[in-house]
Amino acid sequence: MKIMQVEVKAGRAESEAAQAIVLLHCEGEGLGKQDAAVIDKGLGGALRELLQTREFEGKPHETLVFHSQGKIPAKRIVLVGLGEKKELTLDAIRQALGYAVKRVRQCKADSFTVIAPQVAPRGHSLTEMAQAMAEGAILGSYQFTAYRSDNSPGKDMAAMTVLTSQKATVRQLTEGVRRGVATAEAATFVRDLCNHPSNVMTPSRIATEAKSIAKEENIALKILEQKDMEQLGMGALLGVARGSQEPPKFIILEYNGARKKDERPVVLVGKTITFDTGGISLKPAENMEHMKADMTGGAEVLASIRAASRLKLPIRLVSILPVAENMPGGKAMKPGDIVKTLAGKTVEVQNTDAEGRLILADGLAYAQRYNPVALIDIATLTGACVVALGQFAIGMFGTDNRLKEQLRKSGFKSGERVWEMPLWDEYFEQLRSDVADMRNIGGRGGGMITAALFLSKFVGNCPWAHIDIASTDWSERERAYVPKGPTGIGTRLLLQYLIDRSL
């Protein structure tokens, strides 16, 4: 998908010659004395009349298109509701722009101007508000058309202009747009990777994507092949990959934008199963096609390091991707098999469909080599997460309170909220094996918790957080800025955390 161009400029709304002008409006509020009022004057009071007759009220998700009939330079006015002013959040603005861009597209326009609110939501800066605006518009315009013979079901949105009447705010708004374009671009990149079918997006193709990202500024790449993994002793990852004709990959990308040479890195580890049949413990056929997105975590750490480079964040960042395909071939790992991990611990595999934690075990153990200041893994790990949290919350576990609080705050800013679950040692009783150090499943009860507890045995003493995105990585319906299918949710959470850490 081609990313729309977003710019900020100072100017007068009533003089803006745009295909459409988007006005964001809070429920129960008047037009005030600023841009909306000036536009309304040019339209002979038409907007005020719409509010008075309650044809438009400013409720959340509400939109209305008004044609100017040549009374002002702009062809159309698109009114978009924000809900009540006292409850206004960054995500309400993000959602409003998502709905706005869809409404503009319905009008057969390919560009628009949005009037920047003069006040940000309580507790947030104009920069953060502009970031949310850019994110909402770009994410809301997303379409995946690579395999359509008719090319596109709707017109691509080419450009958005954020217009402010206050020249003093241009710098803040521009910085916000810069961040918003980078984070939204990262999320759309993840959606694209996960939308490609698994016969295209193989472990080798993931390696090709990593090589492309390594061309970005200050990024270095290392790819371990199967023989390298065998020499290192990555028995868990190799066990998962045994049933597939596709050779596994172990990808390490390093970005260094730090001001200090000896700065410890943040390390991200992403589950990258390019397709998950469940292996010998075969999944049901229904919805198995969704498993092309079981590589979402890996796609997100790939996108995060590219965005960190493009934003020139002053940090060290390492992205690790253990990559494999989980298939039920003649050489496939079987229930009852025992594998030896890179950390030296042995695991009795009682269910081959609990493969994500196995490849992450080797990824997390490898991450210890970097002495990370923070270690975060992200994965479509457990169906239990979907049962526990539904589709609007990301499961979070961790060993470091400061890291968890930082992720919680970044989650609220990004609109990709996390919810902490317990990580208590008592649950490890469910993972005890009669023949190995541990087994890879702990039964039905607390499945999300036992999976996280399994991972915790491979993270050493560094600050660690585990993010389970299995509840949010796929959407059954289209929402404001979330498409049907792969969502890319988790990408902006990671990037917001990295941005906040850099400030």
Side-chain angles (χ1 to χ4, degrees):
M1 173 188 163
K2 186 177 180 181
I3 301 297
M4 75 162 71
Q5 299 297 309
V6 185
E7 66 167 354
V8 178
K9 74 175 185 180
R12 298 167 56 187
E14 70 274 19
S15 303
E16 182 73 3
Q19 294 184 44
I21 288 182
V22 172
L23 289 176
L24 307 176
H25 189 80
C26 288
E27 186 176 358
E29 299 290 315
L31 293 176
K33 298 179 180 179
Q34 301 299 325
D35 299 301
V38 176
I39 290 174
D40 182 58
K41 184 177 179 181
L43 295 172
L47 300 184
R48 196 176 305 274
E49 184 177 345
L50 289 171
L51 293 175
Q52 289 172 348
T53 60
R54 303 183 71 176
E55 188 173 343
F56 178 82
E57 298 180 77
K59 292 181 181 295
H61 313 165
E62 185 182 11
T63 63
L64 186 146
V65 176
F66 184 87
H67 292 266
S68 67
Q69 305 295 332
K71 295 178 181 178
I72 59 174
K75 291 182 179 180
R76 309 166 186 87
I77 304 298
V78 180
L79 298 170
V80 184
L82 291 172
E84 295 185 14
K85 189 174 183 178
K86 63 181 179 181
E87 297 179 357
L88 185 61
T89 63
L90 288 179
D91 205 54
I93 288 175
R94 198 177 285 113
Q95 290 187 40
L97 266 295
Y99 284 115
V101 75
K102 289 176 171 59
R103 201 72 172 91
V104 170
R105 178 184 282 151
Q106 288 173 355
C107 296
K108 311 300 182 187
D110 65 355
S111 66
F112 67 99
T113 294
V114 57
I115 306 302
Q118 295 185 355
V119 180
R122 184 178 300 173
H124 297 286
S125 65
L126 289 175
T127 297
E128 290 169 336
M129 182 187 70
Q131 180 180 337
M133 293 171 73
E135 289 172 345
I138 293 171
L139 295 173
S141 68
Y142 178 79
Q143 299 178 108
F144 184 76
T145 60
Y147 299 96
R148 288 179 177 267
S149 57
D150 62 350
N151 189 25
S152 175
K155 200 168 190 176
D156 279 334
M157 198 58 57
M160 177 179 82
T161 299
V162 179
L163 186 70
T164 176
S165 58
Q166 299 176 316
K167 290 184 179 180
T169 65
V170 169
R171 186 174 180 180
Q172 288 174 278
L173 295 172
T174 300
E175 173 58 19
V177 163
R178 185 180 79 92
R179 295 179 192 174
V181 169
T183 54
E185 185 179 45
T188 60
F189 176 64
V190 171
R191 291 174 182 177
D192 281 349
L193 293 185
C194 295
N195 264 310
H196 282 296
S198 61
N199 61 320
V200 172
M201 198 54 59
T202 61
S204 295
R205 172 65 181 270
I206 297 288
T208 299
E209 295 290 342
K211 290 174 184 177
S212 178
I213 288 172
K215 296 175 184 177
E216 302 279 341
E217 189 174 354
N218 294 326
I219 293 182
L221 170 67
K222 184 177 183 180
I223 298 177
L224 303 182
E225 302 294 346
Q226 184 167 329
K227 64 180 187 300
D228 303 313
M229 298 177 226
E230 290 169 351
Q231 290 173 359
L232 287 171
M234 292 183 174
L237 171 56
L238 290 169
V240 172
R242 265 194 346 232
S244 174
Q245 295 296 313
E246 295 287 343
K249 305 286 182 181
F250 193 89
I251 300 169
I252 309 107
L253 288 152
E254 298 183 50
Y255 163 72
N256 193 350
R259 298 184 181 97
K260 299 178 182 178
K261 289 184 179 180
D262 59 348
E263 184 170 315
R264 293 165 63 196
V266 173
V267 180
L268 306 177
V269 182
K271 173 187 171 183
T272 322
I273 296 292
T274 57
F275 195 82
D276 183 16
T277 64
I280 296 298
S281 306
L282 194 66
K283 291 179 180 290
E286 186 178 4
N287 294 327
M288 196 196 283
E289 70 275 7
H290 293 185
M291 290 300 102
K292 67 180 183 178
D294 209 23
M295 46 157 284
T296 301
E300 292 184 341
V301 303
L302 263 186
S304 294
I305 201 163
R306 186 180 76 169
S309 172
R310 292 181 176 183
L311 285 168
K312 302 186 186 302
L313 297 183
I315 59 172
R316 278 189 68 204
L317 179 65
V318 178
S319 287
I320 294 175
L321 290 82
V323 193
E325 188 179 63
N326 189 21
M327 297 288 286
K331 295 183 179 180
M333 184 171 60
K334 303 170 293 298
D337 285 1
I338 295 174
V339 297
K340 188 174 183 181
T341 66
L342 177 62
K345 295 181 173 66
T346 56
V347 180
E348 179 190 4
V349 179
Q350 291 198 341
N351 190 317
T352 63
D353 194 24
E355 85 298 330
R357 65 201 70 182
L358 293 173
I359 70 168
L360 286 174
D362 282 343
L364 290 167
Y366 192 91
Q368 303 307 307
R369 302 175 179 218
Y370 293 92
N371 188 24
V373 67
L375 173 60
I376 302 170
D377 75 79
I378 187 163
T380 49
L381 202 64
T382 63
C385 184
V386 185
V387 175
L389 298 177
Q391 62 178 16
F392 296 111
I394 297 169
M396 178 182 71
F397 299 80
T399 57
D400 185 83
N401 288 332
R402 184 181 177 194
L403 175 58
K404 289 185 290 186
E405 183 58 25
Q406 288 170 332
L407 286 168
R408 189 178 292 110
K409 288 180 178 178
S410 297
F412 273 105
K413 273 189 191 178
S414 65
E416 299 184 345
R417 296 164 294 179
V418 299
W419 189 259
E420 185 178 0
M421 302 294 285
L423 192 69
W424 299 337
D425 280 337
E426 287 86 346
Y427 285 96
F428 192 73
E429 291 298 320
Q430 296 173 229
L431 292 171
R432 295 201 182 279
S433 167
D434 294 333
V435 293
D437 293 331
M438 66 189 84
R439 53 185 185 148
N440 74 327
I441 57 168
R444 290 181 62 84
M448 177 167 51
I449 300 170
T450 54
L453 200 60
F454 178 94
L455 295 179
S456 73
K457 303 305 178 183
F458 299 90
V459 300
N461 296 318
C462 67
W464 165 72
H466 161 59
I467 298 172
D468 193 337
I469 53 171
S471 57
T472 59
D473 77 298
W474 190 283
S475 180
E476 293 295 339
R477 62 184 180 88
E478 185 175 13
R479 304 199 298 273
Y481 59 86
V482 176
K484 184 178 180 181
T487 65
I489 289 176
T491 313
R492 291 185 303 103
L493 165 65
L494 293 178
L495 279 169
Q496 191 63 56
Y497 163 76
L498 296 172
I499 290 169
D500 292 343
R501 190 180 181 90
S502 302
L503 296 177

